[in-house]
Amino acid sequence: IDEIDNSEDSLIVFKIGGIKFKAYLGSLNDTFAGSWGGESDQGRADQRYLYESFERIIATDFIVPVLSKDDYDTVWGNLQKLAQKTYPVYGSNGFHGQTVKVTIGDMFKNKDMIITDLGYDWDNETPWEITKGKQAPSYTNVSISFTVLGSKPTSTSTVYQNV
């Protein structure tokens, strides 16, 4: 474990919106969902179906550890920045959401996505830093879901980059 924790060469690249994480991936799920709408047709008892839309959802969970006192500010700063990626951006014409570029190893490289769900969890077995002013859990369980933004996916589009 010490060799893995201290060597960047033994880790995959894992970035969300420019925020680089040293994390332990728990799961990685990829869902492809075509939407079909049924309509009654004259002279037919069964409906006919029209393809209406497509959506691709990536979901993952991972653990972000604070491995040393030197990591504390970086880890908690990155968790704060990630949560802020879900906030609206206000301007003179109202507000809008944020897109993020996601890199997970060589499967997804700078892929445009939107964060649709983000959660932090600390179970009762998580150790805490007890220094005054920095009292917080040492391990954060993160679950996150993305909607992949694509450029007109077709039946011949590349699903996973460089794999």
Side-chain angles (χ1 to χ4, degrees):
I1 296 289
D2 291 337
E3 289 180 29
I4 291 173
D5 292 338
N6 294 319
S7 174
E8 294 294 322
D9 293 337
S10 65
L11 302 173
I12 65 166
V13 178
F14 184 55
K15 293 190 299 189
I16 302 169
I19 307 163
K20 189 173 182 180
F21 288 96
K22 186 187 284 188
Y24 300 100
L25 287 177
S27 67
L28 179 61
N29 304 297
D30 196 354
T31 305
F32 304 83
S35 175
W36 295 84
E39 293 183 2
S40 298
D41 197 4
Q42 189 172 3
R44 291 181 61 160
D46 57 325
Q47 294 190 24
R48 81 187 154 109
Y49 288 88
L50 300 172
Y51 193 83
E52 295 177 338
S53 65
F54 174 79
E55 187 172 57
R56 184 177 179 190
I57 304 292
I58 307 291
T60 187
D61 64 75
F62 53 95
I63 298 172
V64 180
V66 176
L67 298 172
S68 70
K69 290 187 182 210
D70 294 337
D71 289 343
Y72 182 91
D73 290 334
T74 300
V75 168
W76 281 99
N78 285 347
L79 291 170
Q80 169 112 340
K81 289 176 197 171
L82 182 59
Q84 290 170 339
K85 298 288 184 187
T86 66
Y87 289 2
V89 176
Y90 291 93
S92 59
N93 294 329
F95 65 93
H96 61 85
Q98 302 179 60
T99 62
V100 293
K101 291 197 179 291
V102 176
T103 298
I104 303 174
D106 287 330
M107 290 177 67
F108 309 100
K109 283 192 169 184
N110 288 322
K111 194 84 167 155
D112 288 317
M113 301 186 194
I114 54 175
I115 298 172
T116 52
D117 187 46
L118 172 66
Y120 296 150
D121 179 50
W122 302 276
D123 62 42
N124 62 356
E125 296 295 321
T126 300
W128 281 58
E129 173 59 49
I130 59 172
T131 304
K132 296 272 189 222
K134 295 188 179 270
Q135 294 182 353
S138 297
Y139 298 93
T140 301
N141 299 303
V142 180
S143 59
I144 191 167
S145 297
F146 306 95
T147 298
V148 178
L149 302 176
S151 53
K152 297 184 182 177
T154 65
S155 60
T156 58
S157 293
T158 301
V159 176
Y160 301 107
Q161 300 163 297
N162 303 319
V163 178

